[in-house]
Amino acid sequence: MGLPSFPASLEGYKYVILKLGPLQLTRKGLSTATTSACLTFTIFQSASVFLSTTTPEQIAFALRWFISPLANLGVPVAEVILTLLLSLRFINLVFDEVRNVALGIVSRRINWQQMTMLETIDVFFTYIRRIFRNIFVHAEQISQAMIVRGFRGDSTTHKIFLSADSSSEVANYISISCLFGLIALVTLPKYLIQ
């Protein structure tokens, strides 16, 4: 993967890195944990970038285009689109709140070494409480905005009207050709060197 391996220990190779009672940290467990943490961070960042570069109408149009065959099976497509859009917004919201709290902790320059264990736990739970309070405030604002726009929970009475033209066809062809050109530039040197 291009990542440096773990440094060799002074006593030789050990599969179990740390053992605390019935819990043990192994090299495979550490590798799995770091991989899943990186993937989780990538998912949060990609949702944030996706939502900041694409309008909600285009996202809804694309989701409807992909999910519309499920309407033949009786799936409520409009409700699924709404749920997916809200969950994407919520992922971005959670990520922003955690980032804001982390920046707040760093800017306050808390000296963790001088704090007792109970003080550290108290500060930790204070910030966790603040994250959840802000998330619930944003969720309440989202629900109020939906009510103001006329959505009361019944998708049969509230229709979602989407434009049929999501973007210019010329811009789409130019974007796709640039994407294929970029992929070719990246992959061709690998085949030419061999």
Side-chain angles (χ1 to χ4, degrees):
M1 306 230 357
L3 297 174
S5 59
F6 290 112
S9 67
L10 299 175
E11 303 170 1
Y13 178 80
K14 289 172 68 176
Y15 182 70
V16 177
I17 298 172
L18 178 68
K19 185 167 179 146
L20 295 170
L23 304 174
Q24 60 182 353
L25 178 65
T26 61
R27 291 187 183 270
K28 183 172 180 152
L30 182 63
S31 175
T32 304
T34 54
T35 302
S36 63
C38 289
L39 287 175
T40 303
F41 179 77
T42 304
I43 288 169
F44 287 156
Q45 277 297 89
S46 62
S48 178
V49 170
F50 177 60
L51 289 171
S52 62
T53 58
T54 312
T55 63
E57 292 83 14
Q58 289 177 330
I59 296 172
F61 179 79
L63 287 174
R64 187 182 72 180
W65 186 82
F66 279 110
I67 299 176
S68 61
L70 295 177
N72 296 333
L73 300 174
V75 174
V77 173
E79 290 180 14
V80 171
I81 291 172
L82 179 65
T83 305
L84 288 173
L85 285 175
L86 288 175
S87 63
L88 281 173
R89 291 275 175 211
F90 202 73
I91 287 173
N92 192 23
L93 177 73
V94 170
F95 188 69
D96 286 342
E97 287 301 324
V98 170
R99 184 179 62 216
N100 290 339
V101 167
L103 289 174
I105 290 173
V106 170
S107 68
R108 286 179 178 81
R109 294 181 186 244
I110 297 173
N111 192 352
W112 298 100
Q113 285 80 21
Q114 292 181 349
M115 297 174 73
T116 64
M117 184 64 138
L118 289 176
E119 290 172 335
T120 304
I121 292 171
D122 184 47
V123 169
F124 176 74
F125 280 114
T126 300
Y127 282 113
I128 293 295
R129 207 172 326 138
R130 182 176 296 167
I131 288 172
F132 279 106
R133 186 182 66 231
N134 291 344
I135 287 172
F136 288 137
V137 165
H138 285 294
E140 178 67 25
Q141 291 171 351
I142 290 171
S143 67
Q144 291 297 326
M146 289 177 67
I147 291 170
V148 166
R149 289 180 175 88
F151 187 77
R152 300 274 189 253
D154 186 13
S155 64
T156 58
T157 60
H158 185 81
K159 297 294 181 189
I160 300 173
F161 296 103
L162 302 170
S163 63
D165 297 327
S166 64
S167 62
S168 168
E169 280 191 38
V170 175
N172 287 343
Y173 287 126
I174 291 172
S175 298
I176 290 174
S177 61
C178 288
L179 176 66
F180 284 135
L182 185 63
I183 291 172
L185 284 175
V186 170
T187 56
L188 281 179
K190 292 179 185 176
Y191 293 113
L192 294 177
I193 291 175
Q194 293 175 0

